[in-house]
Amino acid sequence: MEFLHRNFVLTLFLLSIFTLTALSYTFFSPVDNYLIDCGSTLDSTVDNRLFISDSSRFKSHWLSSTRSFSLKSNNPFDVSPGIYQTARVFTKPSRYEFEIKDKGTHMVRLHFHNLSSSKFDFNDAQFHVLVNGFVVLSDFIGGNLDSPKVMEYLIWVETGRLVITFVPICKSKFAYVNAIEVISAPKDLIVDTAQYVSSEKIEQFDGLVEQALEVVYRVNVGGPKVTPFNDTLWRTWVPDNDFLKSSFGSKRVYFSGRIRYQVGGASREVGPDNVYNTARVIKSTNASIPDVNITWVFPVKGGFKYLVRLHFCDIASISIALLYFNVYVNGNLAYKDLDLSGVTNYVLAAPFYADYVVDGDSSGVLTVSVGPSNMSYAYGIDGILNAVEIMKLNNSMGSLVGDLPAEFILKSWPRGNIHVLVPLIAAVCLLVILSLVMRRRMTGLKDSVMWSKLPMEVPNVNVKSGSPQP
């Protein structure tokens, strides 16, 4: 009996360990998860994710359009994923409306790809896109895409609806979309506070969560491309090669051990293992500390603020408390003597991220650098970076692209057939003008015919004063 009891206790112990391990790797399951295959009559599977046809009238999303068309590619050799072989085309303002159950930040992804079609010339695709009152695309030209393009936004949803509106710029143009994703984000994905960094000051920046954010760059530093299939939130991370200004003095590192996510730190949803297990580092190989920074350069549009999220994970040090370095954004010191051990509870391979808000200036570039600090050690790691994310914040007009607010775009759409309406208005105006002219002429003629005899005794009048002369 005692033997059986011990076996039972051991079994429960092992089962609890396996359960905790499994829970630590539980995948994120969003409350709102809409994957829409636009213009298709059939559902499509991409990266093990099922996109529902927008023709199915699925009860939680509704397409509202008086002029929309379903298109399917005429190219028999098209091997692109199913969602890029069909499209929904709009010749008038149209919208998709989604029921939202989970209040907060939502990831919105719009998929675009040209189709080979005899019905529409995609060179005539030019349109605006609005999401819950934010202008996310303006004068978007959809006919020059050589490969599928995914636009990603983070939108705060306060009410129970998220509305995506497509507006052709004029009657002769059209709008289209191949697929739409609307997914509720983890609560820790976007926090409300960051550090605003400029050449003059560093101060707290509040109100991030209610901003509309456009994902401009998502870069895996030192590692390969990470596809949606290998990401916890179905994101794409590209290699950093195209943004690295100089790799002199740096090296890539790879880590095959376990990434140790800490409570209160970066979660697996903030950044997946495939991002944190690679990095670029600055390493001292002798008694002197290298006088070099690693710098990445990103083209950006001026006139907007940008959220810069930097991901760190010490996968290179041989022990804790040996890594100290400085972090620079746009050439300004953003974090002095960053001690990754101190911010991760003195655990190696524990992820950490830092958020900064900076201004996009007239230079058209945004730079990120890491390098040794005054506390760096010789014969050790003197700088590290695992990943970079750059997101554009909406401006005061509620736009991510320009100065036109959503209300103006919606009101500027011509109502009725403009080709008939303009000549009709011109004809009416001409008739009104002719009527006024004829009326004036008839009135003048009537005054000249209906005359009366002038009085014989007319007083002399002083023309200057207008008073009678005695």
Side-chain angles (χ1 to χ4, degrees):
M1 287 294 293
E2 184 178 354
F3 176 75
L4 292 175
H5 177 70
R6 288 180 178 177
N7 281 347
F8 178 72
V9 172
L10 180 60
T11 301
L12 286 179
F13 176 72
L14 293 175
L15 181 61
S16 65
I17 292 178
F18 293 147
T19 302
L20 289 173
T21 303
L23 286 175
S24 68
Y25 285 92
T26 299
F27 290 106
F28 173 66
S29 179
V31 176
D32 301 313
N33 189 22
Y34 299 110
L35 309 177
I36 310 302
D37 188 354
C38 302
S40 176
T41 57
L42 301 173
D43 300 342
S44 300
T45 300
V46 180
D47 291 328
N48 288 338
R49 307 169 70 205
L50 183 64
F51 284 74
I52 305 296
S53 163
D54 69 350
S55 302
S56 66
R57 302 297 292 176
F58 186 69
K59 66 179 181 180
S60 293
H61 81 269
W62 299 96
L63 171 61
S64 176
S65 175
T66 57
R67 294 285 290 175
S68 77
F69 305 88
S70 298
L71 284 189
K72 184 174 176 60
S73 175
N74 292 336
N75 183 2
F77 304 105
D78 193 347
V79 294
S80 58
I83 59 173
Y84 297 119
Q85 296 184 28
T86 61
R88 175 71 61 181
V89 170
F90 312 101
T91 56
K92 286 186 176 181
S94 306
R95 67 184 186 183
Y96 287 89
E97 188 170 332
F98 299 88
E99 178 185 351
I100 299 301
K101 299 176 182 178
D102 187 22
K103 171 185 170 181
T105 301
H106 282 66
M107 298 175 286
V108 177
R109 298 185 183 117
L110 306 176
H111 297 253
F112 301 102
H113 186 41
N114 298 341
L115 293 183
S116 174
S117 171
S118 58
K119 297 180 180 179
F120 288 90
D121 182 357
F122 273 72
N123 290 320
D124 291 330
Q126 192 171 2
F127 52 95
H128 315 288
V129 181
L130 319 176
V131 179
N132 268 21
F134 291 104
V135 181
V136 299
L137 287 174
S138 182
D139 291 332
F140 180 73
I141 300 175
N144 56 359
L145 303 179
D146 297 327
S147 59
K149 186 177 184 65
V150 182
M151 305 296 296
E152 181 174 347
Y153 308 95
L154 298 171
I155 306 292
W156 175 264
V157 181
E158 184 74 26
T159 62
R161 297 283 172 181
L162 186 142
V163 180
I164 304 175
T165 306
F166 297 85
V167 184
I169 65 166
C170 62
K171 290 281 187 176
S172 62
K173 304 294 183 180
F174 66 87
Y176 78 95
V177 64
N178 300 85
I180 298 174
E181 300 178 47
V182 175
I183 305 169
S184 51
K187 301 305 180 184
D188 63 342
L189 185 64
I190 298 296
V191 295
D192 198 48
T193 302
Q195 293 295 309
Y196 173 74
V197 179
S198 70
S199 59
E200 301 172 351
K201 59 185 177 181
I202 297 179
E203 63 182 10
Q204 185 169 297
F205 184 95
D206 297 319
L208 267 180
V209 295
E210 296 190 8
Q211 296 273 335
L213 302 174
E214 176 189 344
V215 178
V216 183
Y217 298 105
R218 188 175 279 130
V219 178
N220 185 22
V221 174
K225 180 178 180 179
V226 178
T227 65
F229 182 77
N230 295 311
D231 181 83
T232 46
L233 296 181
W234 310 282
R235 296 163 294 198
T236 298
W237 305 72
V238 300
D240 68 332
N241 301 330
D242 292 339
F243 310 103
L244 191 61
K245 183 177 182 180
S246 173
S247 59
F248 176 77
S250 70
K251 60 178 294 187
R252 299 184 186 189
V253 292
Y254 304 90
F255 182 66
S256 59
R258 178 183 173 186
I259 301 299
R260 300 179 180 276
Y261 294 92
Q262 303 293 301
V263 176
S267 65
R268 186 170 275 106
E269 284 70 46
V270 169
D273 294 39
N274 290 328
V275 163
Y276 289 123
N277 60 21
T278 62
R280 285 189 188 269
V281 301
I282 298 173
K283 186 175 182 179
S284 171
T285 57
N286 51 41
S288 64
I289 297 173
D291 184 17
V292 63
N293 288 346
I294 316 176
T295 299
W296 294 262
V297 179
F298 303 92
V300 295
K301 183 177 180 179
F304 289 88
K305 284 184 167 55
Y306 291 85
L307 171 63
V308 180
R309 173 168 290 183
L310 304 180
H311 296 262
F312 305 97
C313 187
D314 188 358
I315 57 174
S317 296
I318 59 174
S319 180
I320 61 172
L322 293 179
L323 174 57
Y324 295 87
F325 60 100
N326 291 336
V327 178
Y328 306 87
V329 181
N330 273 356
N332 302 309
L333 182 61
Y335 205 127
K336 181 178 175 60
D337 302 323
L338 174 56
D339 172 18
L340 285 184
S341 293
V343 297
T344 58
N345 298 321
Y346 294 93
V347 176
L348 290 177
F352 167 77
Y353 72 88
D355 283 349
Y356 302 101
V357 172
V358 297
D359 294 309
D361 56 29
S362 58
S363 68
V365 296
L366 189 157
T367 63
V368 171
S369 304
V370 295
S373 78
N374 293 331
M375 297 181 65
S376 295
Y377 287 99
Y379 297 102
I381 304 299
D382 299 319
I384 189 171
L385 185 63
N386 300 75
V388 179
E389 292 180 90
I390 298 177
M391 308 177 201
K392 186 196 302 180
L393 279 64
N394 68 269
N395 60 18
S396 60
M397 304 302 291
S399 175
L400 287 163
V401 283
D403 297 325
L404 295 181
E407 295 81 2
F408 180 85
I409 289 175
L410 291 173
K411 290 179 180 178
S412 65
W413 171 256
R415 302 185 182 279
N417 192 331
I418 193 169
H419 300 293
V420 175
L421 187 60
V422 171
L424 181 61
I425 293 175
V428 170
C429 291
L430 183 60
L431 287 174
V432 170
I433 294 172
L434 289 175
S435 176
L436 290 173
V437 171
M438 291 299 295
R439 185 175 179 180
R440 285 188 177 184
R441 286 186 177 180
M442 291 299 294
T443 302
L445 180 60
K446 183 177 180 181
D447 290 342
S448 64
V449 173
M450 297 181 64
W451 55 275
S452 59
K453 185 178 178 179
L454 290 173
M456 297 303 294
E457 296 180 2
V458 180
N460 293 327
V461 177
N462 187 316
V463 177
K464 292 182 179 181
S465 65
S467 58
Q469 297 292 323

